[in-house]
Every structure is written in C-alpha cells, then in structure tokens.
Amino acid sequence: QVQLVESGGGLVQTGGSLRLSCVASGLTFSNYRMGWFRQAPGKERELVAGISRSGFRTFYSDSLKGRITISRDNIKNTVYLQMNSLKPEDTAVYLCASRPSSTEYIGRAPSEYDSWGQGTQVTVSS
C-alpha cells in the first residue's frame, strides 16, 4: 500500500522557483528508487529527474539539467524537486513515482516505476 503525496506546486512567474515535495508512506523508503515525471496537456509523461535509493546517484532530463535538483531525505520519507529558472513550457502536472530497488539503479521510463502520486500542478506564467 505505497502512497505518494506531492505538494509544492502552484503559479509562478517566468524565471521563478518552486520546490516540490513528495511524502511516501507504506514502504521502507530507503529501499526505493524515486522519480519525478511531468505531463502537460496533450503530451506524454516524461522523466524530469530520478534518484537512487540512497540518494547517491541522480539523473536529469537533458532539457532540464542545470535548472533542477532532485534530493531525498530517507528519515522524513520525502523526495524533493527544486526547480529554478522556470519557463512557461515547464507548465505541467508533476508526479512522484517509486519502485523498490536492490541497487543504485535509476529508472528513466514510466514503466520502470510501480507506484505514482496524484500529481501537483505547476503553472509558469509568461
């Protein structure tokens, strides 16, 4: 009964910043790799960033790298996504995902994750 709850989305101006949070329950958080995905209207779900179970390894989408940072707190069972220099094209629903892992592997596709949150809306105004 893994449950993922995102928060921190909202309306921000171009160039602004947001910090998204995803609180996990029903799992041994330190045994799960985590990912952030986003889905805009009419577009497929795409990877934003991923982080390995210990937090030692991270992966970023090429289009977002340099503007975002993924991190996790295995005591608070929370994964974060810090987003800076936001652009209107970043507008989307941002979703948190998880999957148990026995290694430091980072999944890069939606099919590589088992559980999903409901998402938090990020809207960047021009």
Side-chain angles (χ1 to χ4, degrees), residues 14-108:
T14 297
S17 299
L18 286 173
R19 190 194 193 205
L20 308 183
S21 298
C22 172
V23 179
S25 61
L27 76 172
T28 302
F29 187 65
S30 61
N31 291 337
Y32 283 69
R33 63 176 179 260
M34 304 296 297
W36 283 100
F37 291 77
R38 68 182 183 183
Q39 190 163 24
K43 295 185 177 181
E44 294 183 352
R45 189 169 297 180
E46 64 173 343
L47 175 72
V48 175
I51 189 165
S52 63
R53 65 186 227 153
S54 73
F56 185 73
R57 297 183 63 213
T58 57
F59 180 86
Y60 299 99
S61 168
D62 288 339
S63 64
L64 293 164
K65 191 173 184 178
R67 299 193 291 121
I68 59 173
T69 302
I70 189 170
S71 61
R72 66 190 295 162
D73 186 333
N74 284 0
I75 301 301
K76 296 183 177 180
N77 283 17
T78 303
V79 62
Y80 305 95
L81 183 69
Q82 178 68 44
M83 302 192 293
N84 303 314
S85 301
L86 286 165
K87 307 173 182 179
E89 52 261 45
D90 294 322
T91 296
V93 174
Y94 284 71
L95 304 105
C96 178
S98 69
R99 183 169 184 164
S101 179
S102 60
T103 69
E104 292 295 304
Y105 178 77
I106 302 172
R108 303 178 185 182

